[in-house]
Amino acid sequence: MKNLLHISVLFLTLVSANLFAQTPDKLVADIRSAAEDSCITVSYVLDAKVDDASLKDKGTVTAQDDLWCLKGQTIEVYTCEDGTWILHTESKEAVVEPKWTYDDLEKFYKTILSTSASNDVQVKIVSKTMTEKNPVSFYVPKTGADWIVTDLR
């Protein structure tokens, strides 16, 4: 479960980091607004300390409407029509949760920042692009019969 927390922190930080120093509600509103009319893709580099864990990652976040996916070095997160999928690609394990909303992101972001004064997250945005929307299937993860899937919906 601690890994899930770290994955969630990573994703939330990435989604909000491209908007720099704003309040969480403003960050979520800006992402929501950008994702309404087009697809936004953000490439990032992350260095974070959350509680006693250190995280280093780089990857991309792609969002449109209420769908998004994060593709990091070891973790992928897909929020699609039927839920939120958290994939650990190396071990071929997935956890499926009820679909995350932008409101969930805002609440979780506020919780992480208020949980510990020692939490430190540094994100560098490498690039940010806006394009036409992807097909909905872009936000559906690909797993096979060799994957272990834990469905918590």
Side-chain angles (χ1 to χ4, degrees), residues 39-85:
C39 175
I40 182 169
T41 300
V42 177
S43 295
Y44 67 89
V45 176
L46 173 115
D47 188 9
K49 181 176 185 248
V50 179
D51 298 326
D52 294 331
S54 292
L55 299 166
K56 291 185 184 287
D57 192 35
K58 64 181 176 179
T60 61
V61 176
T62 304
Q64 71 185 42
D65 300 321
D66 63 346
L67 307 172
W68 60 81
C69 68
L70 173 143
K71 293 183 180 180
Q73 291 177 311
T74 59
I75 300 294
E76 295 183 10
V77 179
Y78 293 82
T79 293
C80 54
E81 293 297 321
D82 68 342
T84 296
W85 291 68

Side-chain angles (χ1 to χ4, degrees), residues 3-143:
N3 279 342
L4 182 57
L5 173 65
H6 293 166
I7 294 164
S8 300
V9 169
L10 172 67
F11 179 71
L12 294 172
T13 302
L14 296 173
V15 169
S16 62
N18 65 350
L19 302 168
F20 302 105
Q22 299 176 353
T23 61
D25 54 336
K26 176 79 168 107
L27 296 171
V28 172
D30 287 348
I31 291 291
R32 198 179 270 177
S33 176
E36 281 180 11
D37 298 322
S38 60
C39 175
I40 182 169
T41 300
V42 177
S43 295
Y44 67 89
V45 176
L46 173 115
D47 188 9
K49 181 176 185 248
V50 179
D51 298 326
D52 294 331
S54 292
L55 299 166
K56 291 185 184 287
D57 192 35
K58 64 181 176 179
T60 61
V61 176
T62 304
Q64 71 185 42
D65 300 321
D66 63 346
L67 307 172
W68 60 81
C69 68
L70 173 143
K71 293 183 180 180
Q73 291 177 311
T74 59
I75 300 294
E76 295 183 10
V77 179
Y78 293 82
T79 293
C80 54
E81 293 297 321
D82 68 342
T84 296
W85 291 68
I86 302 156
L87 309 177
H88 189 283
T89 54
E90 189 175 302
S91 64
K92 294 189 175 187
E93 294 181 33
V95 174
V96 187
E97 296 186 347
K99 185 175 179 179
W100 296 352
T101 67
Y102 287 109
D103 292 336
D104 295 329
L105 292 176
E106 181 182 335
K107 289 174 190 171
F108 189 79
Y109 183 81
K110 287 179 180 178
T111 300
I112 291 303
L113 293 180
S114 66
T115 300
S116 171
S118 66
N119 289 350
D120 182 32
V121 180
Q122 302 294 318
V123 178
K124 178 182 176 190
I125 301 304
V126 177
S127 68
K128 175 181 162 183
T129 58
M130 304 288 277
T131 60
E132 290 185 27
K133 292 183 180 181
N134 292 311
V136 173
S137 62
F138 178 86
Y139 300 93
V140 178
K142 309 228 181 333
T143 59

